[in-house]
Amino acid sequence: MFINELFAANGGLATTGQLLSVMSRKSLAAHVRAGALVRVWHGVYALSEPDTVTRLRALDLMTG
């Protein structure tokens, strides 16, 4: 599975655990530094700056 497929399958969001299944921790950090991934909440990422609804979905994902 590729990163774009992962985000598409999860409504534009992905957890750290999901991302680590397709990339290394170092690669994840590099993507965040480069701006390719946006940290929405601790452990939840998006491909672009999220709107309010997406931020709330990410919070729900983060808290389980």
Side-chain angles (χ1 to χ4, degrees):
M1 180 176 279
F2 294 103
I3 295 171
N4 290 341
E5 293 171 340
L6 180 65
F7 280 99
N10 292 296
L13 298 169
T15 65
T16 301
Q18 291 169 328
L19 288 167
L20 291 177
S21 73
V22 296
M23 68 173 62
S24 69
R25 193 168 291 279
K26 216 174 190 184
S27 180
L28 174 57
H31 277 77
V32 172
R33 275 194 308 276
L37 294 176
V38 177
R39 182 175 175 248
V40 182
W41 299 106
H42 178 76
V44 182
Y45 298 86
L47 288 174
S48 61
E49 197 61 43
D51 60 11
T52 303
V53 172
T54 304
R55 289 184 67 76
L56 290 172
R57 285 188 22 251
L59 184 60
D60 186 47
L61 185 60
M62 182 187 83
T63 58

